[in-house]
Amino acid sequence: MSAQYYIGVMSGTSLDGVDLALVDFSQMPKLIAADFTPMPDTLRVALSQLVKKGETSLQTLGELDHQLALLYADSIQRFLAKHQLNADDIVAVGCHGQTVWHSPKGQYPFTMQIGDMNLLAAKTGITTVGDFRRRDMAFGGQGAPLVPAFHQAVFSSPERLTVVLNIGGISNISVLNPNQQTIGYDVGAGNTLLDIWIEKHLGKRYDANGEWAKTGKIHSALLTLLLDEPFFQLPPPKSTGRELFNLEWLEHKLTQIEPLPVEDVQATLVEFTVQSIVQALRQIENPQDYPCVLLVCGGGAKNPLIMERLQTHLTDWQVSTTTEYGLDVDYVEAAAFAWLAYQRIHNLPANLPSVTGATQAVSLGAIFPNI
């Protein structure tokens, strides 16, 4: 059977860059190749300010929309050249775009991802599928998370309770419980606060291997304050982002306790990320007493301190990574958007109402033809 190649493109809340995944759908979804393009500093700073403030001019918003499309297109073209592929070899690109605001709970719910898909299709010469979240919201869903449907397709097993944990900017889980509907939801701040804090104090984008956090001590009073956030008491489906977990939120919490060494704050933030995950896992019902497997992906899967703390708290779980189950931890989300594009091209359902709260399963995304 000839290959059916799709490219998934993902730039997440961490704003570190663009993940690309080439997936073959001729049989079972198979990751063929993957790559990463760093986010240019000027674009990252501009997006960070936009996400943090939620305010901008229409001129700036339009220019960022255009710049992101160029970044995506350049990344895809370099990716194709590297792997000796042509645009004609690719059925479609599935591009998430960059989320700049997500507000599913207001009187007028909406979500906004930017990155001009018309421009992306024109520059690459490849049919592009984008704008995945808003159709789910049109049917009453939260528009997030969308990846659990992909997790169900590739990781579910009738012999175990499987939870796929993505620790990106935000932590989210997919609960694949045999004989029950799949559910998935955001559970906490993931790497967002860790990245913000080290950038503020050390000028680094992230704490490689948790080395800085290892020099600090966990402060129990701060940890309690961080966990005392109404979001954690909400029932699923639920989703969150930088509009909640940001520097201002953290600094407000810090005003409520005595001043701490900055490295102690970082150590406590690691434990906050871990504890928010652990609390969510402990609320999962397992009436059949299946073996419990936690598959971690995203940037947090490469942080030894986070993985160590998860294993310490979750003694009744087998803690692994998605890499050990055939899908590189860095490219699960990008592969998911290749899958979403495949589902849209074939007009197949791609959301899970049990996850997003939508009234029905629908095919997600808008198609932007290459000509």
Side-chain angles (χ1 to χ4, degrees):
M1 184 177 293
S2 60
Q4 295 184 41
Y5 287 156
Y6 288 71
I7 294 177
V9 181
M10 177 70 192
S11 56
T13 52
S14 60
L15 300 174
D16 57 345
V18 181
D19 294 324
L20 298 102
L22 177 68
V23 183
D24 183 6
F25 288 91
S26 57
Q27 296 183 39
M28 288 292 291
K30 182 179 180 181
L31 181 65
I32 302 300
D35 213 338
F36 173 77
T37 300
M39 183 82 71
D41 285 340
T42 53
L43 183 56
R44 183 178 64 87
V45 170
L47 287 169
S48 181
Q49 291 174 345
L50 172 58
V51 171
K52 180 172 66 176
K53 296 178 180 179
E55 298 177 356
T56 189
S57 69
L58 291 175
Q59 180 73 26
T60 299
L61 184 64
E63 290 179 356
L64 289 173
D65 188 51
H66 189 107
Q67 289 178 67
L68 275 165
L70 294 180
L71 175 63
Y72 297 148
D74 289 345
S75 300
I76 290 168
Q77 288 166 339
R78 286 195 297 270
F79 183 73
L80 292 175
K82 179 178 179 180
H83 296 286
Q84 298 181 318
L85 294 167
N86 299 312
D88 291 344
D89 296 321
I90 311 301
V91 178
V93 166
C95 184
H96 173 262
Q98 182 65 54
T99 298
V100 294
W101 205 256
H102 185 67
S103 181
K105 286 291 192 179
Q107 182 181 359
Y108 304 105
F110 75 96
T111 187
M112 182 177 290
Q113 288 76 40
I114 61 173
D116 185 348
M117 300 298 149
N118 290 286
L119 184 58
L120 177 55
K123 289 289 186 182
T124 60
I126 304 171
T127 294
T128 298
V129 185
D131 192 14
F132 290 100
R133 299 189 184 276
R134 291 197 294 176
R135 186 161 175 81
D136 179 82
M137 294 184 76
F139 283 87
Q142 294 223 350
L146 299 182
V147 178
F150 173 68
H151 291 161
Q152 177 181 275
V154 298
F155 292 121
S156 62
S157 168
E159 299 174 354
R160 63 176 187 259
L161 166 61
T162 307
V163 173
V164 184
L165 165 65
N166 174 59
I167 310 177
I170 298 297
S171 296
N172 51 68
I173 60 173
S174 301
V175 184
L176 313 177
N177 201 335
N179 305 317
Q180 293 185 13
Q181 287 186 315
T182 293
I183 58 173
Y185 48 95
D186 292 345
V187 297
N191 295 317
T192 292
L193 296 174
L194 296 168
D195 295 346
I196 289 172
W197 192 248
I198 194 170
E199 183 167 22
K200 176 179 172 66
H201 292 282
L202 298 186
K204 298 180 179 180
R205 289 192 185 182
Y206 64 97
D207 185 9
N209 298 318
E211 293 298 335
W212 189 42
K214 291 176 184 176
T215 68
K217 298 178 180 178
I218 298 169
H219 192 274
S220 58
L222 175 58
L223 180 60
T224 299
L225 275 173
L226 297 175
L227 290 168
D228 185 25
E229 169 60 46
F231 171 80
F232 297 115
Q233 306 308 317
L234 295 174
K238 59 181 179 178
S239 53
T240 189
R242 282 186 171 218
E243 62 276 1
L244 172 60
F245 294 112
N246 51 45
L247 183 60
E248 288 76 15
W249 180 86
L250 175 58
E251 290 182 333
H252 175 70
K253 297 286 188 180
L254 289 169
T255 63
Q256 301 173 50
I257 58 172
E258 74 276 8
L260 296 177
V262 291
E263 63 271 20
D264 286 3
V265 175
Q266 188 75 356
T268 306
L269 288 174
V270 169
E271 190 66 11
F272 171 55
T273 291
V274 170
Q275 289 280 7
S276 63
I277 293 164
V278 170
Q279 287 185 10
L281 295 182
R282 286 177 177 163
Q283 293 170 10
I284 297 171
E285 294 185 6
N286 185 11
Q288 301 296 322
D289 200 28
Y290 288 106
C292 297
V293 176
L294 180 66
L295 303 181
V296 189
C297 60
K302 299 190 295 183
N303 184 320
L305 184 56
I306 289 178
M307 295 299 291
E308 176 189 315
R309 296 302 296 162
L310 284 172
Q311 289 172 330
T312 296
H313 287 292
L314 299 170
T315 55
D316 51 345
W317 287 73
Q318 177 192 327
V319 180
S320 303
T321 67
T322 58
T323 300
E324 297 169 61
Y325 282 70
L327 199 52
D328 190 300
V329 296
D330 283 326
Y331 299 105
V332 175
E333 282 201 292
F337 281 91
W339 179 83
L340 284 162
Y342 174 89
Q343 296 293 101
R344 183 67 190 93
I345 292 296
H346 293 86
N347 201 31
L348 297 170
N351 65 333
L352 293 174
S354 59
V355 170
T356 67
T359 56
Q360 67 184 76
V362 290
S363 191
L364 302 179
I367 299 174
F368 300 82
N370 61 343
I371 55 172

